């Protein structure tokens, strides 16, 4: 029998990597979100027992998908409702999984299920915030805590949104399908927002011991690529794919060998993924001219400035500020204001950047640790050690990511030591 710890660790990893895929596939059968989630939870519980008693399968995702589908079909049969799900059973029969399901099922045989799930979750009858929260939960497998941090809202609020959204989908019989024509265009912004938020949670995980969750980054890129294949001439789809490719190209350089956070300024650019950069720049070019660029194209253009720069010192910060100026016009938000202020400080000096930060409505970013962290960085560069230490303490208190906590604690210690040294000089 395998150790319980090893099995639990593998189950947790499989949950992160496979949850959305398995839920989407089961939902095709049961046509009810709560039932689909229940079935998937049962499959993971069965995996815990089976993998501990036997062995962890070579392809955990395929095992979970097969097990969950079996349980879903068993539920339908026991409830004597098979005939009402004839369409789903025909689909399953085509895969050869109704009566004699194989022990291993290749998830790639059904590549569009998660995209179908996203568009279901992004149906226009749902409020925008509920669409994103529901898709992050079902497709990304994020907890309500993680979604709350992504939204900068309390966890109970997210839980309520999820309950209401699932009830609305059930009561209004929202179709589980990818829409076409004008309806597809109307739902696109919410879908793009979902994919980008999934990527962001992977690129800078809000909780846990690792800064980057590669599974979520890859999932967002995969979904973005599927969407780009579906809408190959939509500039904002290409802009999003370019953006996440360019950002993902830096993932390996964001942490040192021992796992410590490495800022963009200090990253080893030889570790950047040049193949991703090439793909991202190519997608950005395909998106078309910047004169009519939307928010994702503009953000991709900012990422491209970093990708093309030979060094931190060689970065075209003024161009980046210009892109942020346009971004505040087409997609204003407190986070955009924060990033613009940081870019201004890097282009024109820490004092100018600090002044730009002070003009931001801090109440809209309450609980967002990047605001005090940015303030702390500019204060540190200005030699205002006591003020910088105070800002680093605030940022440290607001983040739950272990890697970021360690980085902020080290910066705090540096500022405190510098402040003590300055006081000692004054006493002398």
């Amino acid at each position: 029998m395998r150790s319980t710890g090893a099995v639990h660790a593998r189950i947790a990893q499989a949950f992160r990597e496979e949850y959305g895929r398995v839920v989407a596939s089961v939902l095709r059968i049961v046509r009810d979100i709560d039932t689909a989630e229940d079935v998937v939870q049962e499959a993971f519980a069965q995996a815990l027992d089976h993998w501990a008693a036997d062995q962890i399968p070579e392809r955990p995702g395929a095992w979970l998908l097969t097990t969950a589908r079996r349980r879903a079909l068993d539920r339908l049969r026991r409830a004597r409702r098979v005939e009402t799900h004839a369409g789903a059973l025909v689909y399953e029969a085509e895969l050869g999984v109704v009566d004699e399901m194989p022990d291993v099922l290749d998830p790639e045989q059904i590549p569009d299920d998660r995209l179908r799930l996203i568009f279901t979750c992004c149906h226009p009858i749902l409020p925008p915030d509920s669409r994103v929260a529901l898709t992050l939960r079902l497709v990304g497998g994020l907890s309500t805590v993680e979604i709350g941090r992504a939204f900068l809202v309390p966890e109970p609020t997210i839980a309520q949104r999820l309950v209401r959204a699932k009830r609305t989908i059930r009561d209004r019989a929202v179709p589980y399908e990818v829409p076409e024509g004008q309806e597809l265009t109307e739902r696109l912004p919410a879908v793009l927002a979902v994919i980008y938020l999934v990527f962001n949670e992977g690129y800078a995980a809000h909780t846990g011991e690792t800064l980057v969750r590669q599974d979520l980054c890859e999932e967002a890129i995969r979904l973005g690529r599927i969407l780009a294949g579906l809408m190959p001439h939509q500039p904002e789809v290409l802009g999003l794919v370019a953006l996440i490719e360019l950002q993902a190209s830096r993932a390996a350089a964001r942490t040192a060998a021992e796992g410590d956070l490495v800022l963009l300024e200090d990253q080893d650019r030889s570790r950047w993924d040049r193949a991703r950069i090439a793909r991202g720049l190519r997608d950005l070019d395909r998106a078309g001219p910047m004169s009519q660029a939307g928010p994702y194209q503009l953000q991709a253009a900012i990422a491209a400035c970093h990708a093309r720069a030979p060094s931190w010192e060689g970065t075209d910060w003024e161009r980046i500020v210009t892109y942020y100026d346009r971004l505040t016009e087409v997609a204003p938000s407190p986070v955009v204001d924060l990033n613009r202020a940081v870019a201004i400080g890097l282009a024109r000096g820490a004092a100018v950047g600090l002044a730009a930060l002070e003009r931001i409505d801090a109440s809209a970013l309450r609980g967002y640790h990047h605001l005090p962290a940015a303030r702390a960085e500019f204060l540190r560069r200005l030699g205002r050690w006591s003020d910088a230490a105070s800002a680093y303490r605030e940022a440290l208190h607001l983040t739950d990511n272990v890697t970021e906590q360690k980085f902020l604690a080290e910066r705090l210690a540096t500022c405190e030591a510098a402040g003590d040294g300055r006081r000692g000089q004054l006493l002398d």
Side-chain angles (χ1 to χ4, degrees):
M1 180 175 290
R2 302 183 66 86
S3 69
T4 303
V7 173
H8 276 277
R10 194 64 186 92
I11 290 286
Q13 181 183 355
F15 188 92
R16 286 296 192 192
E17 295 175 351
E18 307 294 347
Y19 185 79
R21 176 175 297 169
V22 180
V23 166
S25 181
V26 170
L27 186 56
R28 173 72 83 101
I29 303 171
V30 300
R31 304 288 172 160
D32 179 79
I33 293 174
D34 285 328
T35 302
E37 288 201 283
D38 287 345
V39 168
V40 173
Q41 293 290 349
E42 291 171 2
F44 275 95
Q46 185 174 342
L48 186 61
D49 294 336
H50 181 83
W51 296 359
D54 190 0
Q55 63 178 357
I56 298 174
E58 188 174 322
R59 301 175 64 200
W63 190 97
L64 289 164
L65 183 57
T66 301
T67 300
R69 285 182 166 187
R70 282 189 178 130
R71 298 188 74 92
L73 288 169
D74 286 344
R75 278 199 177 204
L76 295 181
R77 292 181 176 117
R78 285 197 304 269
R80 300 179 182 276
R81 292 188 288 114
V82 174
E83 290 184 3
T84 65
H85 296 267
L89 291 177
V90 168
Y91 174 80
E92 298 296 330
E94 291 174 353
L95 295 179
V97 295
V98 174
D99 297 316
E100 298 295 332
M101 297 180 70
D103 290 334
V104 176
L105 179 67
D106 186 355
E108 294 305 316
Q109 293 183 30
I110 47 170
D112 286 340
D113 273 354
R114 278 174 290 183
L115 188 62
R116 185 178 293 108
L117 177 58
I118 287 180
F119 274 102
T120 301
C121 294
C122 294
H123 196 281
I125 67 171
L126 299 176
D129 51 8
S130 295
R131 300 175 206 168
V132 178
L134 184 62
T135 312
L136 283 171
R137 170 62 191 152
L138 296 181
V139 181
L142 305 189
S143 69
T144 53
V145 173
E146 291 169 322
I147 299 171
R149 290 190 179 280
F151 282 143
L152 307 180
V153 297
E155 178 188 357
T157 301
I158 296 299
Q160 292 172 1
R161 289 176 186 174
L162 292 171
V163 170
R164 287 196 297 264
K166 287 189 281 189
R167 182 186 302 127
T168 299
I169 289 174
R170 183 188 64 238
D171 294 346
R172 299 285 292 274
V174 173
Y176 179 50
E177 62 186 16
V178 179
E180 298 180 354
Q182 182 62 28
E183 188 179 1
L184 181 65
T185 302
E186 291 173 352
R187 288 203 229 167
L188 182 60
V191 173
L192 294 177
V194 165
I195 294 173
Y196 193 40
L197 277 173
V198 172
F199 176 82
N200 279 335
E201 178 58 33
Y203 189 69
H206 289 92
T207 60
E209 297 186 0
T210 59
L211 182 67
V212 178
R213 286 171 47 190
Q214 195 63 35
D215 59 326
L216 286 181
C217 291
E218 294 297 337
E219 173 66 9
I221 292 171
R222 194 194 77 86
L223 291 172
R225 287 285 172 203
I226 290 175
L227 195 60
L230 184 65
M231 306 180 74
H233 304 299
Q234 169 53 249
E236 275 293 83
V237 173
L238 293 170
L240 173 64
V241 174
L243 172 61
I244 59 182
E245 284 279 21
L246 291 169
Q247 289 184 325
S249 72
R250 305 194 298 266
R254 297 188 70 228
T255 53
E258 59 275 16
D260 293 342
L261 174 65
V262 180
L263 296 181
L264 180 60
E265 177 179 5
D266 302 316
Q267 286 177 14
D268 178 0
R269 297 187 178 218
S270 68
R271 297 183 65 198
W272 289 5
D273 189 330
R274 294 296 159 182
R276 285 202 185 280
I277 290 174
R279 287 196 297 270
L281 294 177
R282 187 164 55 248
D283 290 324
L284 183 58
D285 288 340
R286 288 175 55 207
M290 297 301 298
S291 57
Q292 302 297 321
Y296 291 106
Q297 274 183 273
L298 288 169
Q299 291 176 82
I302 292 169
C305 287
H306 293 301
R308 293 187 174 110
S311 64
W312 173 261
E313 293 76 17
T315 304
D316 192 344
W317 289 108
E318 286 294 350
R319 179 179 291 273
I320 290 175
V321 171
T322 298
Y323 285 138
Y324 272 121
D325 288 342
R326 293 183 57 190
L327 197 55
T328 59
E329 297 174 359
V330 302
S333 78
V335 173
V336 171
D337 292 338
L338 170 59
N339 291 334
R340 176 179 176 274
V342 170
I344 288 173
L346 294 171
R348 304 167 191 173
V352 181
L354 188 61
L357 284 176
E358 296 303 323
R359 292 193 291 271
I360 295 176
D361 180 9
S363 64
L365 291 171
R366 187 176 292 111
Y368 192 57
H369 74 279
H370 292 292
L371 176 58
R375 186 185 301 117
E377 182 63 20
F378 284 144
L379 289 167
R380 183 184 68 85
R381 295 186 182 210
L382 291 170
R384 294 170 54 180
W385 305 113
S386 178
D387 292 337
S390 178
Y392 276 126
R393 288 190 198 97
E394 181 182 355
L396 184 59
H397 175 71
L398 292 175
T399 182
D400 293 326
N401 185 278
V402 174
T403 302
E404 289 186 318
Q405 287 175 343
K406 183 177 180 181
F407 172 82
L408 292 169
E410 289 174 351
R411 283 292 169 97
L412 171 60
T414 298
C415 291
E416 288 176 334
D420 291 341
R422 182 180 176 85
R423 283 193 293 273
Q425 291 176 356
L426 292 176
L427 289 175
D428 290 341

